[in-house]
Amino acid sequence: MITMKVLHKILFTFVFVLGLSLTAMAQKDDTKPRPPKEVPPVVNPQPKPPKPTPTPKPNSIGAVWKSEITYTA
């Protein structure tokens, strides 16, 4: 029974190594030229219109409140 397990592991390792070497050889023989990259399109941004300057509202009234309270200790 032990010999079958050992034989199974040896066979599995052999098949695994064979598969890895076949895939490495397939990648090594890749001599096809790659297609050239496409030239990316050039995007020219449109000029932004100038922002209008904020104008003060007419008849705006500012209020100032002065307190006459004094605190003493």
Side-chain angles (χ1 to χ4, degrees):
M1 194 65 157
I2 292 179
T3 57
M4 289 299 277
K5 286 185 180 181
V6 171
L7 183 63
H8 183 264
K9 286 185 180 183
I10 291 173
L11 182 63
F12 176 74
T13 305
F14 177 73
V15 170
F16 185 72
V17 169
L18 182 67
L20 285 178
S21 26
L22 287 176
T23 56
M25 281 180 21
Q27 289 178 355
K28 185 178 179 183
D29 293 339
D30 187 19
T31 57
K32 291 187 260 181
R34 303 215 186 269
K37 290 184 177 180
E38 295 180 10
V39 179
V42 178
V43 178
N44 294 326
Q46 298 294 327
K48 293 182 180 179
K51 291 184 179 179
T53 57
T55 56
K57 294 181 181 177
N59 299 328
S60 60
I61 299 173
V64 177
W65 178 60
K66 185 176 179 183
S67 175
E68 298 292 330
I69 301 174
T70 56
Y71 295 102
T72 57

